[in-house]
Amino acid sequence: MEFLSFFERLNREGIKLVLKGDLLSVKSNTNIDPTVFLEIKNNKELIIQYLKKYKDEDTSEELLKKITPYNRDSFTKIPLSFSQERLWFLDQLSGSAEYNMPIALRLDGALNISILEESLQTIVSRHEVLRTNLLSEDGIGYQEVMSAQNWFLEQEEVLDEELLESHLKTYLNIPFNLSKDYKIRARLYTLGYEKYVLACVFHHIASDGWSEGILMNEFTELYTALQSCRVPNLPKLNLQYVDYAIWQRKYLEGSVLENQLSYWKAKLSGVSTLSLPMDHARPSVQSNAGATISLELDKKISTSLSSICQEEGVTLFMLLLSAFKILLSRYSGQDDICVGTPIANRTQSDLEGIIGFFVNSLALRSDLSGDQSFKDLISRVKQTTLEGYDHQLVPFEKVVDRIAITRDMSMTPLFQVMFDFKNNTKNSSKKEESLEGIVISDYEFDMVTAQFDLILSASENNNDVLLEINYCTALFDKATIDRMLLHYQELLVSIADNI
C-alpha cells in the first residue's frame, strides 16, 4: 500500500481515519464506497502502524509539499525529471527500444475510425508529456512541448490475420527518436468483416503502468461522447508532467533528499550481486532481448494464500515477494537477496489523472540466513517494505548515484531481478470494455524485450492470480524459466499447505 496517495484519496472523498491507542475508527459525512471500506479493513494493521509512526502532522505536511503549476515565463529550458534523465541518458548511450510500452486491443464491431483518431488526438493534446521533445545543450537534457496538431493515427490493412503477428511485432518494437517523435504512436490494423486491432506504443520516458489505465479510461469516455455528440466528462488537469519535473528538482534537495538517501545507503551498502545459474555467459553489455512465460495459480491455492495474509497481517504482495526471495536464495545459494519493485509514486491527488513517468523503483533487501521460519521472513519483508514506502520520494537514480560507486555495463545496478504486483480490479487496461456497437478486448502478443535478468509479475483479479516471468533470452533458455516458474508454484503450494 502506498500510504501517501492512499490518505490523499481518503481526504478527497471526505473520509477521516482516527487512531486512539490501537483502535482505528472511520469517519465520513457521506456513505463510504464499499470497496474503499474493504480496502481499509484489509489493510487495518498496516494503517495503524503507519499512523503510529507519523502522528506528527508537520512530518506529513513536509512529505506532501504541494505541487503547483510553474510560471511558464520563468523557464527558457524545462528540466527533465530524474527518471526521465536516466532513460534519456540510456537512450543516448545505446537506444531504448526495451522501454517501449505497447498496448494491443481487439475492436470488433462498427468502428468509427475518424472518432477513434479524434479521441486519441484529444488525449495527446490533453497530456503535454506525450508531445514533448527531449533535447540537449552542452550535454544537459531538457524538454520542449510541441503542438498536437501533427499527430495522426496510422492505418494498415491486413486481410490475412495470420500475418498480423509479424506486422505487430515489427511495429511495437520500432525505436522512438526522443528528440522529435510524439511519445505515443498508434496504428489501426483493419482485418475485414468489422474486425480491427489497435496498437498503441508509449515510450516509458512519458508513461508508466498507471498511465495505461488513464489512456483506456479517457479513450472510452471520449469515443462514447463524440459518438453521442455530447461533451466528454473528463477531469480537469490542474497540473502537467513538467510541473512535477520542476517541483521534483526544487523539492528533492537539501535535507529532504539527504534524509531519504541516508536510509537507502544504510540499507543497501555492500549489497550482493545476485548470481543465478544461467544457460549462457553474460554479455559484456547488457542484452535487451527477452521473452515471457505465464502460469495461473489454482484458485484453491490463491484462496489459501489470501487467508494466510489475513492471519499474518500482510498483503499478498508481501507474501509472494517473500516466497520469490526464498526461490532466488535456493537457486543462487545466496542469503543476501535484493529484489526491485515498482511503486506508482503518485503521492499527491493532482497527479493521479496525469499521464507521465512517475513510477519509482524500490530496492528491497532481505537477509535469508539462519534457520528462520516463513512467518519470520514475511514479517521482516513486511517491515522492509513499509520502510521502503516511507522513503519512496527519493528517485532510484539518486540512490544508485549514492551507492553504486562503480558501474557494470553487463547488468543493472543494485538489483538484477524485479517483482511486480498488480491488482487488476483498478487502474488496469487489461480488461474487456464495450462501446456502443463495439467490443474491446486484449490482443495477446509476445514481449520480445527485457529490462532485467528476470521480472516476476503477479496479477490478482477477483482472487485469481496470474504469474508471468519476463526474462533475458541472452542469459536463460525457456526450459530453465519454465522450471523456475513451476518451482515457484510448488513453493507457494507448500506455503499454503503448511502455514
Side-chain angles (χ1 to χ4, degrees):
M1 170 174 283
E2 296 171 46
F3 290 102
L4 298 179
S5 57
F6 173 69
F7 286 120
E8 281 283 315
R9 178 157 53 89
L10 293 186
N11 183 60
R12 193 170 64 254
E13 296 177 11
I15 300 169
K16 186 176 181 180
L17 300 182
V18 179
L19 182 65
K20 291 185 178 180
D22 290 325
L23 298 177
L24 182 70
S25 59
V26 184
K27 295 185 177 181
S28 176
N29 294 325
T30 59
N31 292 330
I32 300 176
D33 185 329
T35 59
V36 174
F37 190 79
L38 184 62
E39 188 176 3
I40 295 170
K41 182 180 178 182
N42 289 343
N43 294 281
K44 179 180 175 182
E45 294 303 319
L46 301 180
I47 292 170
I48 289 173
Q49 278 193 17
Y50 186 83
L51 289 176
K52 282 183 176 180
K53 187 169 183 180
Y54 285 104
K55 282 184 178 179
D56 184 352
E57 293 183 1
D58 292 336
T59 304
S60 297
E61 287 299 319
E62 180 186 351
L63 288 173
L64 291 170
K65 187 173 181 180
K66 190 170 178 60
I67 302 173
T68 56
Y70 78 100
N71 182 347
R72 303 209 168 200
D73 295 328
S74 62
F75 281 85
T76 55
K77 291 183 174 59
I78 303 168
L80 308 181
S81 71
F82 292 118
S83 298
Q84 283 183 316
E85 187 174 61
R86 176 175 62 88
L87 283 199
W88 174 76
F89 175 76
L90 291 174
D91 184 78
Q92 298 283 301
L93 195 65
S94 58
S96 56
E98 67 270 31
Y99 290 96
N100 286 11
M101 299 181 64
I103 303 172
L105 301 171
R106 222 179 241 289
L107 308 176
D108 295 327
L111 180 68
N112 187 317
I113 297 175
S114 63
I115 290 180
L116 170 67
E117 182 172 43
E118 185 177 351
S119 300
L120 293 172
Q121 283 175 331
T122 302
I123 293 170
V124 174
S125 181
R126 274 173 57 81
H127 299 274
E128 287 183 352
V129 72
L130 299 179
R131 48 188 176 89
T132 297
N133 291 329
L134 280 77
L135 309 170
S136 67
E137 184 174 282
D138 298 327
I140 299 174
Y142 66 95
Q143 48 190 315
E144 192 173 86
V145 179
M146 58 179 168
S147 167
Q149 182 178 349
N150 295 322
W151 191 94
F152 67 95
L153 173 69
E154 303 173 46
Q155 297 187 51
E156 183 178 342
E157 188 175 53
V158 181
L159 297 181
D160 184 353
E161 192 167 344
E162 291 185 0
L163 299 176
L164 177 61
E165 187 172 343
S166 64
H167 285 245
L168 194 62
K169 180 179 177 180
T170 299
Y171 180 70
L172 296 181
N173 290 283
I174 296 172
F176 283 81
N177 183 327
L178 299 184
S179 66
K180 65 179 183 179
D181 291 346
Y182 289 99
K183 301 308 176 286
I184 183 174
R185 58 172 180 259
R187 178 176 291 179
L188 182 69
Y189 294 93
T190 300
L191 308 178
Y193 304 102
E194 295 192 333
K195 293 183 181 297
Y196 307 86
V197 170
L198 175 64
C200 296
V201 190
F202 287 108
H203 193 284
H204 198 1
I205 208 161
S207 181
D208 54 22
W210 186 293
S211 298
E212 292 180 357
I214 295 172
L215 174 75
M216 281 301 302
N217 291 337
E218 293 198 357
F219 165 69
T220 52
E221 170 59 21
L222 283 163
Y223 188 95
T224 302
L226 291 169
Q227 191 177 41
S228 306
C229 298
R230 65 171 173 82
V231 177
N233 181 21
L234 293 176
K236 180 182 177 183
L237 298 181
N238 297 317
L239 299 173
Q240 292 287 342
Y241 186 81
V242 292
D243 298 313
Y244 168 76
I246 291 169
W247 170 86
Q248 186 189 52
R249 291 281 179 174
K250 287 184 174 181
Y251 177 56
L252 287 179
E253 59 182 14
S255 61
V256 174
L257 179 62
E258 202 56 40
N259 289 341
Q260 296 237 335
L261 279 175
S262 295
Y263 165 80
W264 290 111
K265 184 175 182 181
K267 197 73 178 177
L268 299 176
S269 290
V271 66
S272 301
T273 299
L274 186 63
S275 300
L276 294 173
M278 298 175 180
D279 299 303
H280 309 284
R282 187 183 290 275
S284 58
V285 176
Q286 185 179 358
S287 169
N288 65 11
T292 302
I293 63 167
S294 62
L295 180 154
E296 187 166 3
L297 287 182
D298 183 272
K299 195 160 188 115
K300 181 180 177 182
I301 302 171
S302 302
T303 302
S304 297
L305 295 177
S306 295
S307 297
I308 293 171
C309 289
Q310 292 181 357
E311 293 169 7
E312 298 300 318
V314 298
T315 62
L316 186 58
F317 164 84
M318 295 171 185
L319 187 150
L320 294 176
L321 174 59
S322 299
F324 187 42
K325 289 194 173 193
I326 292 173
L327 183 77
L328 295 174
S329 178
R330 291 179 179 177
Y331 264 73
S332 65
Q334 297 169 262
D335 296 324
D336 183 9
I337 304 295
C338 188
V339 173
T341 191
I343 188 166
N345 200 34
R346 293 171 185 256
T347 53
Q348 298 190 31
S349 58
D350 283 343
L351 302 179
E352 292 183 356
I354 302 174
I355 289 176
F357 185 16
F358 295 96
V359 68
N360 198 12
S361 296
L362 303 180
L364 303 181
R365 183 183 187 183
S366 298
D367 180 2
L368 276 71
S369 63
D371 188 23
Q372 57 184 304
S373 67
F374 184 74
K375 287 186 177 183
D376 291 336
L377 174 61
I378 201 172
S379 177
R380 292 184 183 183
V381 168
K382 172 183 175 179
Q383 185 63 32
T384 298
T385 302
L386 292 176
E387 289 176 2
Y389 290 165
D390 291 340
H391 297 86
Q392 66 173 286
L393 289 178
V394 62
F396 181 67
E397 296 73 30
K398 290 291 185 183
V399 177
V400 172
D401 288 343
R402 178 62 61 92
I403 297 169
I405 300 172
T406 60
R407 302 291 180 90
D408 185 341
M409 292 295 293
S410 69
M411 66 181 73
T412 52
L414 300 186
F415 56 80
Q416 295 72 52
V417 171
M418 288 277 285
F419 176 74
D420 187 14
F421 181 83
K422 300 183 181 75
N423 186 318
N424 284 339
T425 58
K426 291 183 179 181
N427 299 319
S428 173
S429 62
K430 300 291 185 180
K431 59 182 178 181
E432 187 168 294
E433 298 272 3
S434 61
L435 302 173
E436 187 175 341
I438 303 170
V439 175
I440 306 176
S441 57
D442 284 338
Y443 181 87
E444 299 296 334
F445 57 91
D446 293 329
M447 288 291 293
V448 296
T449 61
Q451 297 174 23
F452 297 88
D453 292 1
L454 296 174
I455 302 178
L456 172 62
S457 299
S459 304
E460 183 187 25
N461 192 350
N462 298 323
N463 215 31
D464 291 327
V465 177
L466 176 68
L467 303 174
E468 293 183 323
I469 293 186
N470 173 251
Y471 63 98
C472 178
T473 53
L475 304 178
F476 303 101
D477 292 335
K478 180 178 181 297
T480 299
I481 304 302
D482 282 333
R483 283 194 303 273
M484 180 179 286
L485 194 52
L486 288 174
H487 288 158
Y488 183 62
Q489 178 183 235
E490 291 170 3
L491 186 55
L492 293 175
V493 171
S494 176
I495 291 168
D497 290 343
N498 293 292
I499 297 296

